[in-house]
Amino acid sequence: MSEFSSGTLTAKNIHLSFGSNHVLRGIDLHVPQGTTASVIGPSGSGKSTLLRVMNRLIEPEQGDILLDGRSVLNDNPDELRRRIGMVFQQFNLFPHKTVLDNVSLALRKIRKMPKDQANAEALAQLDLVGLKHKADARPANLSGGQMQRVAIARALAMKPEVMFFDEATSALDPELVKGILALMTDLAKGGMTMVVVTHEMGFSRNVSDTVTFMDGGVVVESGHPDQIFGAPKTERLQNFLSDVL
Amino acid sequence: MDAFEQFLKTFFDWKAMGEVVPHLLTVGLPNTLILAVSSGILGCIFGLLLAVMGISRNRVARWIARVYTDVLRGLPAILVILVIGIGMGPVFRIMTGSTNPYPLGILALTLMATAYIGEIFRSGIQSVEKGQLEASRALGFSYSSAMVLVVIPQGIRRVLPALVNQLIHLIKDSSLIYMLGLLTSQREIFRIGNDAAANSGNLSPLVAAGVLYLLMTVPLTHVVNYMDKRMREGKTQKVEPDEAAAIIGKGAKA
C-alpha cells in the first residue's frame, strides 16, 4: 500500500505558553515524507500540545511550521487542517450521526462532493478498516476499537498528506490495542507521513523511523529507535524508559 | 351532607360545565395553543440566537445576551405581559394601525420564552464535549461550520426534554394574556372558564378549564420523563473484533 500523497512536515523552534505555564520551549521536529515519527515522554511533557500546534488547533507563539518546505503559518488554518488528519485518544466521533455520515460529512461539506460520491468514498474507507458492515450503526453501538477505526477512516477519507495520532490506543481495552496498532503500522508501511504520540513503546521502537523524547516542554533526545531504546544518552530518558518498560 | 352538596354544586355543576365545554374546545383551546406554540417556536428561534451570542467570542454579544437573559428571567410573567401588552399598545397602533392586543400577548410570551430557552440551549451546547469541536476543526471545518454541523445539533438534542418543559410553562403562562382585554373570539381557556364562572356564580367552568389544561400538560410531562429516561439509559452493545474484515492492519505486528 503506497497510495498516499504524503508530505514532509517540519516544526521549528516552537514556543507556547498557557499563562505562566511555558508548555513548549523551543521544539524542533522534522518528519520527512513517508516516515513515521513517534513522540514519547511523561504525561504533561507537551506531546499532545505539540500535535495541536502543528495543525494549528493552537497557534504557536513563536516558531514556524513547514509543510513540504513552505511555511503554513500565513495560510488559512482550515486549509492546513484539511491536509493533516488527526486521530484522538477519545475518538471524538460525532454521536448524532451514523458511522457512514461521520466519514462522509467532511467530504460532502468541505470537499463539496455529491452525496453519492461521498458515500461511496466513505464506504471504501470503512471497508479499509473492516467496518463497512457498520456503516448504518451509530457510534454509541460500537466498541472502543471500532470507534477508533471509524475515526481513522474519517481522517483518511480527506486524503491527508500527514496523519497525527494522539495517544490513539490509550483509551482502549488492552485486547483492542493490537488491532489499532496493526492498522497504524500498515499505514506507516504504506508510506503515510505520520506523527504518533504514544505510550506504546513496542510500536515506537518497531515501527517508527525516528523517536523523539520530550520532557518539560523540550526535546530531550531524538534519533533512531535503536539508539533511543538501545543506547539512551541522557539520564532523563534512561529514567523514563526504566519506568515504562 | 349539606356541605358536601355545596361542594359538589360549587365545583362540579355538570350543567354549568357542559355549557362551557363547547366554548373551551372551539375557542379557548385553539387560542391557548396558538399563544403557546407560536411563542414557543419564536422563542426557540430567538433563544438559539441568544444562546449563540451567549457563548460567542465577541464580548459585546455575550454581554447583550447576559443582560437580556437576566432581565427577562428575573421579572414576573404578569408584569412583562402587562408592560408589553398594554404599554406597547399605542406604539403598536401607530406602527400598524391595529388595536389588537393579541400579537402583543404573543410578543410578551416570546420575550420571556426567549430568555428561558436561550439558557436551555446555551447549557446544552456547552455540555457538548470539547473534543467534538476539536475533531471537527481538525477535519478542516471552520468554527461556524463546526458549530452548526456538529456541536449545536448535539446540544439541542440533549435539551429536548427541557424544551418540552418550557412548552408546558407557556401553555400555563398563556392564561395571563387574559388581562389584555381580548375580543370574545380571542379568549383562551382560562378566560373563557373565568368569564363563565363569573356569569354563573359557579366555579365549575374553571374546574373544566383546569381539566383541559391538565389534559395537555400531564401527557407532555410524561413525554418529558420518557425522553429523559431514554436519553439516560441509551442503548449500547459491545461487538468486537472486526480485524477479520479489515483490508489493512492484518499482516503487521506492532
Side-chain angles (χ1 to χ4, degrees):
Chain A
M1 264 186 46
S2 42
E3 59 191 63
F4 306 117
S5 60
S6 68
T8 296
L9 183 71
T10 309
K12 275 186 181 166
N13 192 31
I14 300 291
H15 281 268
L16 179 74
S17 307
F18 294 134
S20 62
N21 187 8
H22 204 161
V23 189
L24 300 177
R25 304 161 180 252
I27 301 282
D28 290 301
L29 185 69
H30 180 62
V31 192
Q33 176 176 2
T35 66
T36 296
S38 59
V39 182
I40 60 172
S43 303
S45 56
K47 310 181 298 284
S48 296
T49 307
L50 176 64
L51 282 186
R52 283 162 175 75
V53 168
M54 287 197 296
N55 70 1
R56 293 179 65 195
L57 280 174
I58 306 171
E59 296 288 346
E61 277 155 12
Q62 198 188 316
D64 203 355
I65 300 155
L66 307 143
L67 193 49
D68 288 332
R70 202 179 64 80
S71 173
V72 294
L73 284 186
N74 293 319
D75 294 356
N76 177 345
D78 296 336
E79 303 277 348
L80 170 67
R81 288 190 284 261
R82 287 165 201 175
R83 301 170 65 188
I84 301 177
M86 187 159 182
V87 175
F88 300 86
Q89 181 178 354
Q90 297 298 338
F91 328 126
N92 295 342
L93 292 183
F94 307 137
H96 61 306
K97 298 200 174 286
T98 64
V99 164
L100 184 68
D101 283 343
N102 263 274
V103 182
S104 68
L105 183 70
L107 297 177
R108 281 184 280 127
K109 302 289 178 180
I110 296 176
R111 295 273 187 251
K112 308 288 180 202
M113 279 187 196
K115 195 166 179 159
D116 299 351
Q117 194 191 342
N119 283 349
E121 182 64 41
L123 274 177
Q125 291 298 335
L126 284 172
D127 196 22
L128 216 58
V129 299
L131 284 175
K132 197 177 176 183
H133 63 292
K134 290 286 181 189
D136 296 323
R138 297 270 165 174
N141 295 328
L142 303 180
S143 70
Q146 291 172 328
M147 284 196 257
Q148 198 59 298
R149 284 161 182 275
V150 175
I152 291 170
R154 177 174 71 177
L156 288 177
M158 288 294 280
K159 302 262 183 276
E161 295 157 54
V162 182
M163 281 287 285
F164 287 176
F165 290 86
D166 184 19
E167 301 193 17
T169 58
S170 296
L172 295 177
D173 293 342
E175 72 272 19
L176 306 179
V177 169
K178 224 173 71 183
I180 297 299
L181 290 179
L183 231 166
M184 291 163 62
T185 305
D186 273 1
L187 280 179
K189 292 189 171 156
M192 175 62 84
T193 307
M194 312 212 306
V195 184
V196 182
V197 168
T198 187
H199 292 296
E200 292 293 333
M201 294 304 143
F203 178 89
S204 179
R205 179 167 202 165
N206 299 326
V207 180
S208 47
D209 300 284
T210 60
V211 182
T212 298
F213 170 64
M214 279 177 69
D215 192 10
V218 294
V219 173
V220 178
E221 218 176 313
S222 88
H224 191 272
D226 289 344
Q227 183 239 309
I228 294 289
F229 289 98
K233 287 184 222 142
T234 57
E235 204 186 323
R236 273 153 101 183
L237 177 54
Q238 286 161 13
N239 289 339
F240 175 73
L241 290 176
S242 72
D243 282 348
V244 295
L245 290 179
Chain B
M1 276 311 279
D2 254 9
F4 186 61
E5 266 169 33
Q6 183 60 45
F7 175 84
L8 281 183
K9 195 163 174 284
T10 307
F11 295 107
F12 298 97
D13 181 333
W14 302 116
K15 189 165 164 286
M17 271 191 195
E19 277 167 7
V20 80
V21 163
H23 256 98
L24 283 176
L25 292 177
T26 57
V27 180
L29 181 62
N31 278 320
T32 292
L33 286 177
I34 288 171
L35 288 167
V37 172
S38 59
S39 57
I41 290 171
L42 291 171
C44 280
I45 294 169
F46 295 120
L48 189 55
L49 187 71
L50 192 69
V52 170
M53 283 170 70
I55 57 172
S56 130
R57 287 174 292 188
N58 180 326
R59 188 196 306 236
V60 178
R62 277 205 312 272
W63 187 82
I64 293 172
R66 192 69 258 154
V67 170
Y68 179 90
T69 308
D70 284 352
V71 170
L72 268 296
R73 280 203 315 176
L75 292 172
I78 196 160
L79 188 149
V80 175
I81 287 170
L82 267 183
V83 168
I84 299 290
I86 306 222
M88 292 291 286
V91 179
F92 186 68
R93 195 184 63 234
I94 293 166
M95 280 167 60
T96 65
S98 158
T99 54
N100 184 353
Y102 201 76
L104 291 173
I106 291 177
L107 174 65
L109 287 174
T110 299
L111 289 177
M112 288 181 291
T114 298
Y116 285 101
I117 294 174
E119 282 296 273
I120 292 171
F121 278 146
R122 187 185 57 77
S123 70
I125 293 168
Q126 284 185 325
S127 77
V128 176
E129 296 75 18
K130 191 171 127 279
Q132 292 290 313
L133 180 63
E134 199 172 43
S136 324
R137 303 286 331 250
L139 278 170
F141 285 109
S142 65
Y143 175 81
S144 50
S145 304
M147 291 301 281
V148 168
L149 290 170
V150 175
V151 178
I152 291 175
Q154 289 183 59
I156 290 177
R157 234 161 267 233
R158 288 174 195 203
V159 297
L160 283 180
L163 283 181
V164 178
N165 245 331
Q166 195 57 41
L167 180 63
I168 295 173
H169 281 292
L170 281 170
I171 288 173
K172 295 188 292 180
D173 281 355
S174 67
S175 61
L176 295 167
I177 299 297
Y178 86 96
M179 290 184 308
L180 299 183
L182 301 165
L183 301 176
T184 318
S185 62
Q186 294 173 330
R187 293 179 304 168
E188 37 63 56
I189 295 173
F190 170 76
R191 180 65 190 267
I192 287 176
N194 197 35
D195 285 356
N199 288 339
S200 63
N202 183 294
L203 285 180
S204 301
L206 270 180
V207 172
V211 170
L212 188 50
Y213 278 114
L214 291 177
L215 285 175
M216 288 187 283
T217 53
V218 171
L220 280 175
T221 312
H222 285 271
V223 168
V224 172
N225 292 344
Y226 173 74
M227 290 163 87
D228 252 348
K229 187 161 173 274
R230 246 194 64 164
M231 283 192 183
R232 223 180 16 255
E233 291 173 359
K235 290 176 279 180
T236 46
Q237 55 189 77
K238 261 204 158 185
V239 225
E240 187 82 17
D242 298 276
E243 276 85 356
I247 291 168
I248 57 171
K250 259 190 204 152
K253 288 272 176 286

